[in-house]
Amino acid sequence: NWGILYYYTHYFNSQELNSTNFKVQWQYNVDSSNYIQALEFDFPVIYNNLAFYFGTQCVQGANCQYWNPNGTSGDGTHGWHDFSPTIPCTQTAANTWHTLVWSGTRTAAQFTYATLQIDGQQFSINQTLNAPTNTTGIANNTITIQFQPDGNYVNPNPGYHEYVDSIQAWVW
């Protein structure tokens, strides 16, 4: 059984939307690591009807990936991609608090995944993408912070719980 649960909230005011630097920190815990397919952490910035969509996931036992909102499904551009060089994603330890920190920047039409920090280990990313026209369904001129635990396909899958204790965000 596979399923997803998606949580999001909109932050910031119109003045802060002019910001070009972003940093978001999630503190999270899972009660079981046996049924995780991926843990997703995103902070899409929708500004001037463009989607600066900072989307990432840690695929358990594989790699961390970024979301490319450009192109169309199946064209090899749109969707999830491993970072280059790859960033390994080990199995998330259960019943332990973890900290994930993303930083990114944007210009008028592009956005850059700058750094990723997982439990104190920092990776330089510097992956720049064009910001496509917003087709996400997220309202224009908002910054959204979200997370999504994905289950795997093990049958029967009793599932797991993800707890997020705090989310902090900085813009400048």
Side-chain angles (χ1 to χ4, degrees):
N1 297 324
W2 180 82
I4 59 173
L5 178 65
Y6 172 71
Y7 173 81
Y8 70 93
T9 188
H10 300 293
Y11 287 97
F12 305 104
N13 61 40
S14 59
Q15 251 184 335
E16 293 163 323
L17 282 165
N18 291 317
S19 299
T20 57
N21 295 280
F22 308 89
K23 182 178 176 181
V24 181
Q25 175 179 294
W26 294 262
Q27 290 182 313
Y28 64 97
N29 186 343
V30 295
D31 64 355
S32 173
S33 60
N34 295 330
Y35 306 103
I36 298 172
Q37 183 270 328
L39 297 174
E40 184 176 338
F41 300 91
D42 311 319
F43 62 101
V45 177
I46 310 300
Y47 184 66
N48 286 339
N49 206 34
L50 294 177
F52 304 89
Y53 201 102
F54 295 93
T56 59
Q57 69 176 0
C58 177
V59 179
Q60 299 296 287
N63 297 315
C64 293
Q65 298 179 323
Y66 68 94
W67 179 256
N68 186 340
N70 293 289
T72 58
S73 182
D75 72 358
T77 301
H78 182 82
W80 293 112
H81 300 277
D82 287 345
F83 288 103
S84 181
T86 58
I87 298 172
C89 179
T90 58
Q91 191 73 17
T92 301
N95 302 309
T96 302
W97 285 101
H98 301 278
T99 303
L100 185 135
V101 182
W102 263 112
S103 66
T105 62
R106 73 163 186 85
T107 63
Q110 293 184 314
F111 63 106
T112 300
Y113 292 93
T115 62
L116 169 64
Q117 186 181 94
I118 304 171
D119 292 337
Q121 184 175 6
Q122 185 156 313
F123 303 91
S124 293
I125 307 296
N126 297 319
Q127 174 72 45
T128 300
L129 300 169
N130 293 322
T133 300
N134 180 29
T135 59
T136 65
I138 300 171
N140 192 35
N141 297 329
T142 60
I143 299 172
T144 303
I145 298 173
Q146 55 198 39
F147 59 92
Q148 174 177 307
D150 294 341
N152 63 22
Y153 296 91
V154 175
N155 192 11
N157 181 345
Y160 67 97
H161 297 94
E162 180 181 29
Y163 305 96
V164 177
D165 182 54
S166 70
I167 298 173
Q168 296 179 326
W170 301 266
V171 298
W172 65 98

